[in-house]
Amino acid sequence: MSQWQRLTQLGRSYQQQLASITLFGNSLKSFASLFILGLSLSVAIASCSPSSSNTASSASTAASQGNVELTLVSFAVTKAAHEAIIPKFVEKWKQEHNQTVSFNQSYGGSGSQTRAVIDGLEADIVHLAHAGDTGKIQKAGLIEAGWEKESPNDAIVSKSVAALVTREGNPKSIKTWEDLAKDGVQLITADPKTSGVARWNFLALWGAVTKTGGDDAKAQEFVTKVYKNVPILTKDAREASDVFFKQGQGDVLINYENEMVLAAQKGEKVPYIVPDTNVSIDNPIAVVDKNVDKHGTREIAEAFVKFLYTPEAQREFAKAGFRPVEASVAQDKEFVEKYPPVKNLFTVQDLGGWGEIDQKFFADGTIFDKIQADIRK
């Protein structure tokens, strides 16, 4: 007998007992029966209602049946790579699990994407421009500590270096970082307050001095001169590219090497230089623990992250302009020729790590703000 059949039967019995109770009869036995039946009715109702544990597991149950939806939040310039990789993962998961996975994808400046996730954009996976942004999401309580060790290579899934893009024929003779500080040179770059790419650009400029023998004072003087030559700070790397290429502003653009490689693959003539002193632009991947547990998507989200490190996925990153992190792909002749080694390559750890970098350069009132204040004088 079903729960609702038992419930109906108990209700009828309850009504019969109620009708049999008289005003002057010996009602003790009747009330006792009424009480017992009422109690049984309450138990039956409770048994037919969903428990809190059932409610908590409903998302997980839903994720294990039928179609599943993942939300990937990433920084702007990864779009081409992910759009090539995602169909491969979807097909693989369908073959192995007979389950269809679809992706919501959001791309934008890394800083803006970070704030969006913290403010409520329910990302299952975040692929951001640098670990400092991922760390902010962790501090907000959405990602568990130790996320860097949950994936290979300290969770770095893509990497690049900074490149200087010039006009055809390089009329301003831009060859090194130092040339960006020359009078009459207009530089296009994004705003480090909103763009992870722009923070890498800033660090590349800073390291061009401090990693070649200069101190912080000389570095700040140099970087201030460079930013005086910036007519507009765009919100992200993609907008910076649009300003330079589509609007025709500026003599030189700092951007990811991968953007230039991708443009060349599309048939665009993009002259660029990769300076000998450069920063390793390392982009981490992380599962957003609070959200995947809420959505019941942890297994699939973790499987997608794992897939991004496979040779199949890493080749797509490399085709889209990123330097591969998987050794066998990095050693492929095609990519060795495409991505020659940088002579003097430094990392964020050489500058103290993202915690120290953010507090030193990008927190309100620190070096970048002071540089902007000097420029406005």
Side-chain angles (χ1 to χ4, degrees):
M1 185 183 294
S2 72
Q3 292 285 8
W4 282 108
Q5 287 174 323
R6 286 196 292 271
L7 179 60
T8 301
Q9 188 180 70
L10 282 167
R12 288 171 181 166
S13 179
Y14 183 86
Q15 289 176 335
Q16 291 170 358
Q17 287 291 335
L18 184 62
S20 69
I21 297 172
T22 63
L23 182 61
F24 297 106
N26 183 6
S27 60
L28 179 60
K29 183 177 180 179
S30 297
F31 275 115
S33 298
L34 179 62
F35 175 78
I36 292 170
L37 282 167
L39 182 62
S40 300
L41 185 61
S42 298
V43 171
I45 292 170
S47 69
C48 291
S49 301
S51 68
S52 59
S53 61
N54 288 338
T55 302
S57 63
S58 61
S60 179
T61 301
S64 66
Q65 300 173 352
N67 298 343
V68 180
E69 191 172 77
L70 289 180
T71 297
L72 169 67
V73 173
S74 191
F75 61 110
V77 297
T78 64
K79 185 177 181 180
H82 282 302
E83 287 185 340
I85 293 168
I86 285 172
K88 295 178 181 295
F89 173 77
V90 169
E91 181 181 3
K92 182 176 185 290
W93 189 265
K94 180 69 173 179
Q95 289 175 349
E96 295 178 354
H97 300 272
N98 194 30
Q99 188 176 40
T100 300
V101 184
S102 60
F103 279 77
N104 290 320
Q105 301 171 60
S106 174
Y107 301 96
S110 188
S112 300
Q113 295 290 73
T114 298
R115 286 190 293 275
V117 172
I118 292 171
D119 290 342
L121 176 56
E122 293 191 359
D124 296 293
I125 303 156
V126 288
H127 181 191
L128 299 172
H130 58 80
D133 280 344
T134 315
K136 291 176 183 177
I137 299 176
Q138 176 192 326
K139 289 179 181 177
L142 300 175
I143 296 177
E144 296 174 2
W147 59 269
E148 303 96 324
K149 301 304 177 184
E150 293 180 1
S151 299
N153 197 38
D154 291 330
I156 302 304
V157 74
S158 60
K159 61 172 53 183
S160 191
V161 293
L164 302 179
V165 188
T166 69
R167 296 297 179 189
E168 185 68 29
N170 194 6
K172 294 295 178 75
S173 298
I174 305 297
K175 297 178 180 178
T176 67
W177 295 115
E178 290 74 17
D179 293 330
L180 303 183
K182 291 179 178 178
D183 292 338
V185 170
Q186 280 202 334
L187 168 68
I188 303 298
T189 184
D191 187 345
K193 292 287 189 175
T194 59
S195 167
V197 176
R199 294 196 176 195
W200 288 112
N201 294 349
F202 182 98
L203 296 180
L205 290 166
W206 192 270
V209 177
T210 61
K211 296 304 170 184
T212 55
D215 59 15
D216 280 2
K218 289 184 178 179
Q220 186 164 339
E221 179 183 2
F222 167 69
V223 175
T224 300
K225 288 181 179 179
V226 171
Y227 276 91
K228 282 182 178 179
N229 287 340
V230 178
I232 180 174
L233 287 170
T234 65
K235 66 180 180 180
D236 60 38
R238 183 52 48 81
E239 186 179 341
S241 293
D242 288 345
V243 167
F244 185 77
F245 292 111
K246 295 180 180 180
Q247 298 179 24
Q249 295 188 46
D251 303 302
V252 58
L253 167 74
I254 310 179
N255 211 331
Y256 280 143
E257 176 191 46
N258 62 274
E259 282 282 85
M260 305 310 108
V261 173
L262 186 61
Q265 289 174 353
K266 293 179 179 179
E268 300 174 15
K269 290 185 177 181
V270 186
Y272 69 93
I273 301 105
V274 174
D276 289 340
T277 298
N278 218 310
V279 61
S280 181
I281 298 173
D282 299 333
N283 320 129
I285 191 84
V287 168
V288 185
D289 296 290
K290 186 174 181 178
N291 291 341
V292 296
D293 289 341
K294 177 181 177 180
H295 302 157
T297 53
R298 177 177 288 278
E299 179 186 4
I300 302 175
E302 290 180 346
F304 177 69
V305 170
K306 184 177 181 181
F307 182 75
L308 294 180
Y309 287 91
T310 64
E312 185 177 12
Q314 282 294 306
R315 285 191 190 94
E316 296 301 330
F317 275 119
K319 290 176 184 177
F322 291 94
R323 295 187 171 220
V325 300
E326 206 282 328
S328 65
V329 178
Q331 293 166 6
D332 187 289
K333 182 180 178 181
E334 174 189 356
F335 301 128
V336 168
E337 293 175 353
K338 185 177 290 186
Y339 305 113
V342 175
K343 293 179 181 179
N344 184 15
L345 189 67
F346 61 93
T347 70
V348 293
Q349 297 306 317
D350 296 325
L351 298 176
W354 279 111
E356 182 175 327
I357 286 169
D358 283 340
Q359 290 304 310
K360 180 177 180 178
F361 297 113
F362 306 121
D364 290 345
T366 56
I367 288 177
F368 182 74
D369 284 349
K370 291 177 180 176
I371 287 173
Q372 291 300 302
D374 288 342
I375 291 171
R376 288 191 293 266
K377 288 180 179 178

